[in-house]
Amino acid sequence: MLNLLELEQLIAFADFGTLSKAAEELHISQPTITRTMKHLETEFGVPLFVRGKNKIELNETGLKAVECARSLLTAAQNTVQQIQTYHAKLHTLTVEACAPAPLWSLLPLLSSRFPEQTISSKLSELSAIINNVASGICEIGIIPYPIAIDELVCIPIIQENLSVCIPLNHELASRKNLTFEDLNGFNCLLASQIGFWTELCRQKMPASKFLVQTDDFAMKELIQKSTLPCFTTNLATDSSSILSGRSIVPITNPEANVTYYFICKKSDAKYIVIAKQLKTLFIQ
Amino acid sequence: MLNLLELEQLIAFADFGTLSKAAEELHISQPTITRTMKHLETEFGVPLFVRGKNKIELNETGLKAVECARSLLTAAQNTVQQIQTYHAKLHTLTVEACAPAPLWSLLPLLSSRFPEQTISSKLSELSAIINNVASGICEIGIIPYPIAIDELVCIPIIQENLSVCIPLNHELASRKNLTFEDLNGFNCLLASQIGFWTELCRQKMPASKFLVQTDDFAMKELIQKSTLPCFTTNLATDSSSILSGRSIVPITNPEANVTYYFICKKSDAKYIVIAKQLKTLFIQ
DNA sequence: TATTATTACGTTAGGCGTAAAGATT
DNA sequence: AATCTTTACGCCTAACGTAATAATA
């Protein structure tokens, strides 16, 4: 039976030209590699080298053997990786969502229901979410509208209502309701990592500039020390003290009041249970 | 680095169901295979088994690992065979001929000119000879007529003239010449392994039956003890005593007097030399 | 002289088998 | 009781490195 370590030595010899160099590179002694080359010849049953008194080189068969050895070795390495990724995929439950808020309720539920699974979540584009769930790249998706696809279930789970937080002395602060159209033109603070909301704001308020803050501390500072409008929702977990100096005004556009839908493959019954659980908690 | 022997044990376990059975089949002890399975798990870095107190079975990753191991193992076996056949092909000079006689001169020449090569020869159908030389499956071909193919050289080397051997008291024995048409209808003795001659006789003498003898001794006995016509040629090496009771009459059909052509790839200059050597010996 | 392959030899470590234990049916 | 896996232990082989040899450029 072939020994991959021996093939590795053969390849090293082919790469470095002499047994000495190869031995040095592999941190083994010359006699060892000499022995290995002889052993390889007996394993293959054919001569692989032309030997001079103090030189040795590959013959034509040897060159072919090196070529075969390379592909066999990479095949072996691929095998290991294949097994490892297979194992990882088997123990990873991947969630892709269009916004972070529904994950706050979903992820803890998944963790407790599937404690042996690694729960992996990320924000993605809407089309990517649907494609990846459909193709099995991820198991669960969260999208802000219902879809009807044969192999997928689509269950409403949570509603999120967007409001704008306006400093009390701002001209819009006294309004009971606002629309994107009212806000269009006012520059706003915006947190990063809010999924599809970012794009929605940009579309609905094309005349506004958005000051996107990646740092949470900076965001809070700016909310308190600036007069720029910012946003919150019914699901936001910010302590209310941060918004104490501001008026919270609901945005009435239908796009600002979304119902999140849980999607997964119909065959994944174990996940559907979770969705129904969320639905009973949050819808009605 | 993976060890193919260990993978073989994994496969044996998958095939035989228990470590004990697998150990027995592989003629190793149970502890050995237990150790190997553990070692495989550390090599892959992932669990492959679900273990009970006195039972062990493959988990899902393990099943995948077995599948991968199988393909890797067959790849390794293929590698060995590939190298061996590559070596064989490299050291084998294959000749395919339409008849045995030209080989009697050609093969000794090839053996002495290429002593390190294994000379392999066989009789083949005409179309197979040309195809195999053109495609590189064999290096040298011998055919009974010239051809013109771009990549091949075609050199006349030897002539063979067919005669019929007729008992002295036979009605045709006194003829100076004969044709296939004269012989048609007379049943004849025929040696086996005479290449295209067999088919030629059957075509030219459709009314005759041929008693094909595979055994050399039987052939000689029948020549001496029967009155059936048989054949010989100018290249035949049979001692003339065998044919002493018979009249040897040349057959005048052009098909019975062939010139053999040596064909090989134009790129194989080393073989062309041999052909020219034969040509000077036998032509003119 | 410096580099290279090979041979000889002594040592060591890793792998195997035996024996025993633990556990299940 | 029989079967199976795992652990413990001791042996032994097989592989490695050091040192020496031979040969070349």
Side-chain angles (χ1 to χ4, degrees):
Chain A
M1 176 88 45
L2 284 183
N3 182 334
L4 298 183
L5 284 168
E6 293 186 338
L7 293 182
E8 196 173 39
Q9 292 182 30
L10 176 67
I11 292 170
F13 169 58
D15 287 340
F16 299 114
T18 70
L19 295 184
S20 310
K21 278 262 174 59
E24 189 182 348
E25 294 284 339
L26 295 177
H27 306 295
I28 58 177
S29 66
Q30 289 102 338
T32 297
I33 202 169
T34 290
R35 267 192 300 266
T36 300
M37 297 303 106
K38 287 184 178 171
H39 188 225
L40 279 174
E41 281 183 310
T42 68
E43 280 189 304
F44 282 118
V46 299
L48 303 175
F49 307 96
V50 294
R51 300 168 197 273
K53 298 299 286 189
N54 81 333
K55 77 177 172 193
I56 180 173
E57 51 189 22
L58 292 158
N59 65 20
E60 203 168 345
T61 312
L63 291 170
K64 175 79 171 175
V66 168
E67 182 188 325
C68 291
R70 283 189 208 277
S71 66
L72 194 60
L73 224 58
T74 61
Q77 290 159 355
N78 287 343
T79 294
V80 174
Q81 270 207 334
Q82 215 173 329
I83 299 301
Q84 288 173 346
T85 62
Y86 187 87
H87 172 265
K89 175 149 186 55
L90 221 53
H91 293 83
T92 302
L93 177 40
T94 305
V95 182
E96 296 194 14
C98 63
L103 294 177
W104 301 333
S105 311
L106 175 59
L107 296 185
L109 266 184
L110 290 174
S111 293
S112 66
R113 174 79 76 159
F114 305 107
E116 78 290 352
Q117 299 284 90
T118 299
I119 313 292
S120 164
S121 70
K122 67 170 182 177
L123 301 178
S124 297
E125 293 294 320
L126 287 169
S127 59
I129 295 171
I130 297 168
N131 284 337
N132 289 344
V133 172
S135 68
I137 291 175
C138 90
E139 282 74 33
I140 294 172
I142 305 294
I143 54 178
Y145 50 76
I147 57 170
I149 295 183
D150 263 0
E151 314 84 37
L152 302 185
V153 292
C154 182
I155 301 171
I157 50 170
I158 303 179
Q159 291 166 343
E160 185 166 33
N161 307 301
L162 189 65
S163 298
V164 61
C165 308
I166 301 182
L168 295 174
N169 56 352
H170 193 284
E171 57 180 294
L172 297 176
S174 59
R175 300 278 290 271
K176 284 279 179 277
N177 296 299
L178 283 170
T179 65
F180 285 124
E181 292 73 25
D182 296 329
L183 294 165
N184 191 17
F186 292 100
N187 297 337
C188 297
L189 292 172
L190 211 58
S192 67
Q193 300 296 325
I194 55 171
F196 82 109
W197 291 118
T198 306
E199 186 58 22
L200 182 64
C201 289
R202 288 217 155 90
Q203 279 183 9
K204 291 294 186 176
M205 302 162 63
S208 298
K209 302 245 179 190
F210 295 95
L211 289 75
V212 176
Q213 301 301 310
T214 57
D215 182 59
D216 203 47
F217 176 79
M219 186 67 181
K220 287 177 178 170
E221 277 290 296
L222 286 171
I223 289 173
Q224 296 191 321
K225 303 288 171 57
S226 81
T227 60
L228 292 165
C230 64
F231 298 91
T232 189
T233 80
N234 59 317
L235 299 178
T237 56
D238 295 327
S239 63
S240 56
S241 66
I242 301 223
L243 301 173
S244 59
R246 292 174 175 247
S247 164
I248 297 177
V249 184
I251 300 176
T252 55
N253 301 64
E255 297 91 340
N257 298 276
V258 304
T259 297
Y260 290 113
Y261 289 81
F262 176 109
I263 61 174
C264 71
K265 290 203 170 178
K266 283 182 178 166
S267 52
D268 281 341
K270 54 194 171 184
Y271 303 143
I272 299 176
V273 175
I274 300 287
K276 291 185 172 165
Q277 194 174 344
L278 274 173
K279 179 178 179 180
T280 58
L281 285 175
F282 289 97
I283 304 279
Q284 306 284 321
Chain B
M1 176 87 46
L2 284 183
N3 181 335
L4 298 183
L5 284 168
E6 292 186 338
L7 294 183
E8 196 173 39
Q9 292 182 31
L10 176 66
I11 291 170
F13 169 57
D15 286 341
F16 298 113
T18 70
L19 295 185
S20 309
K21 277 262 174 59
E24 188 182 349
E25 294 285 337
L26 295 177
H27 306 295
I28 59 178
S29 66
Q30 290 102 337
T32 297
I33 203 170
T34 290
R35 268 192 301 266
T36 300
M37 297 303 106
K38 287 183 178 171
H39 189 225
L40 278 175
E41 281 183 309
T42 68
E43 280 188 306
F44 282 119
V46 300
L48 303 175
F49 307 95
V50 294
R51 299 169 197 273
K53 298 298 285 187
N54 81 334
K55 76 177 171 190
I56 180 173
E57 50 189 22
L58 292 159
N59 64 21
E60 204 168 343
T61 312
L63 291 170
K64 176 78 171 176
V66 168
E67 182 187 324
C68 290
R70 283 188 208 277
S71 66
L72 194 60
L73 224 60
T74 60
Q77 289 160 356
N78 288 343
T79 294
V80 174
Q81 271 206 335
Q82 215 172 330
I83 299 301
Q84 288 174 346
T85 61
Y86 187 87
H87 172 264
K89 175 146 186 57
L90 220 54
H91 292 83
T92 302
L93 177 41
T94 304
V95 183
E96 296 194 14
C98 63
L103 293 177
W104 301 335
S105 310
L106 175 60
L107 295 185
L109 265 183
L110 290 173
S111 292
S112 66
R113 175 79 79 161
F114 305 108
E116 77 291 352
Q117 298 286 89
T118 298
I119 314 293
S120 163
S121 70
K122 68 171 182 176
L123 300 178
S124 296
E125 293 296 320
L126 288 168
S127 58
I129 294 171
I130 297 168
N131 284 337
N132 290 343
V133 172
S135 68
I137 291 174
C138 89
E139 282 75 33
I140 293 172
I142 305 293
I143 53 179
Y145 50 77
I147 56 169
I149 295 183
D150 263 0
E151 315 84 36
L152 303 184
V153 291
C154 182
I155 301 172
I157 50 170
I158 303 180
Q159 292 164 344
E160 185 167 33
N161 307 301
L162 189 65
S163 299
V164 62
C165 309
I166 301 182
L168 296 175
N169 55 352
H170 194 282
E171 57 180 293
L172 297 176
S174 60
R175 300 278 291 271
K176 285 278 179 274
N177 296 299
L178 282 169
T179 65
F180 285 125
E181 292 72 26
D182 297 329
L183 293 166
N184 191 17
F186 292 101
N187 297 336
C188 298
L189 292 172
L190 210 58
S192 68
Q193 300 296 327
I194 55 171
F196 81 109
W197 291 119
T198 306
E199 186 59 22
L200 181 65
C201 289
R202 289 218 155 91
Q203 279 184 8
K204 290 293 184 176
M205 303 163 62
S208 298
K209 303 246 178 188
F210 295 96
L211 289 74
V212 176
Q213 301 301 310
T214 56
D215 181 59
D216 202 46
F217 175 79
M219 185 68 180
K220 287 177 178 170
E221 276 290 297
L222 286 171
I223 290 173
Q224 296 190 323
K225 303 287 172 55
S226 81
T227 61
L228 291 164
C230 64
F231 297 93
T232 189
T233 79
N234 59 316
L235 300 178
T237 56
D238 295 327
S239 64
S240 57
S241 66
I242 299 210
L243 301 173
S244 58
R246 292 172 177 249
S247 165
I248 297 177
V249 184
I251 299 175
T252 55
N253 301 66
E255 297 92 340
N257 298 276
V258 303
T259 297
Y260 291 113
Y261 289 81
F262 176 109
I263 62 173
C264 70
K265 290 204 170 176
K266 284 182 178 167
S267 52
D268 282 342
K270 54 193 171 186
Y271 303 143
I272 300 175
V273 175
I274 299 286
K276 291 185 174 165
Q277 194 173 343
L278 274 172
K279 180 180 180 181
T280 58
L281 285 174
F282 289 96
I283 304 280
Q284 307 282 321

